[in-house]
Amino acid sequence: MTSAGAPVHPRSDSGFTRARRDFRAWRRTRPFWAGLLVLLAAAPIIYFPYFNLSLGALSVAMSTTAGAGSLVIGLTLIVLGGLLWFQPIIRFFAGCVAVFLGVLSLPISNFGGFFIGTLLAATGGLLALAWGPVAGHPEGIPDGAEGPSAAVSRVGGRGSE
């Protein structure tokens, strides 16, 4: 009797391993990193207009008249980040709006949260625009013949002479 076919660990996967594998599978079916960056972009855009810094007896207030606008932009970015995670079909709309709101936050919210929020929103929005669902394995293509050169040779372009 040999143990060549026996599993490495006799007991099944732990709960953490299964949860990590399930999260990885869920993450790969949606623009996860785009949603995360859009969510993170909301933090400096909302925070800095209401920021108060105390240096001993000196109080520096960053409060501006555009606090309500910053709050609306930040909350909209939070909603867009959640929608990117849970409704990936609207990735194009959410990506365009995230880029627009990131640029709009420059004059409204202390230079877009001192450029941090603007850069995060623009990067997340562009990642959402660039993301696409992974199609299944195309039928009729051998496993080793994937890529653009294989597609050109099958269609009859260069390399099929």
Side-chain angles (χ1 to χ4, degrees):
M1 182 166 138
T2 66
S3 63
V8 176
H9 299 287
R11 51 190 171 100
S12 64
D13 290 338
S14 69
F16 177 74
T17 304
R18 188 177 313 113
R20 188 173 54 94
R21 191 177 316 124
D22 291 344
F23 176 69
R24 183 183 304 152
W26 176 83
R27 187 186 72 208
R28 289 181 178 173
T29 61
R30 56 203 71 243
F32 177 78
W33 295 110
L36 182 66
L37 289 177
V38 170
L39 280 170
L40 291 176
I45 290 174
I46 290 175
Y47 179 72
F48 286 127
Y50 300 104
F51 178 64
N52 290 323
L53 177 66
S54 296
L55 300 171
L58 180 64
S59 179
V60 178
M62 295 291 293
S63 300
T64 64
T65 58
S70 299
L71 187 63
V72 168
I73 289 173
L75 290 177
T76 307
L77 286 173
I78 290 172
V79 169
L80 289 174
L83 286 174
L84 282 171
W85 280 354
F86 298 111
Q87 296 291 328
I89 194 74
I90 65 160
R91 68 186 183 277
F92 187 79
F93 169 75
C96 289
V97 173
V99 170
F100 175 73
L101 288 176
V103 172
L104 183 65
S105 71
L106 282 171
I108 291 179
S109 176
N110 293 334
F111 298 111
F114 299 116
F115 297 109
I116 299 167
T118 298
L119 290 175
L120 288 173
T123 305
L126 292 174
L127 281 175
L129 290 172
W131 183 86
V134 176
H137 195 288
E139 300 203 17
I141 299 176
D143 287 335
E146 294 180 6
S149 62
V152 169
S153 65
R154 276 195 314 275
V155 173
R158 292 181 170 172
S160 65
E161 290 132 35

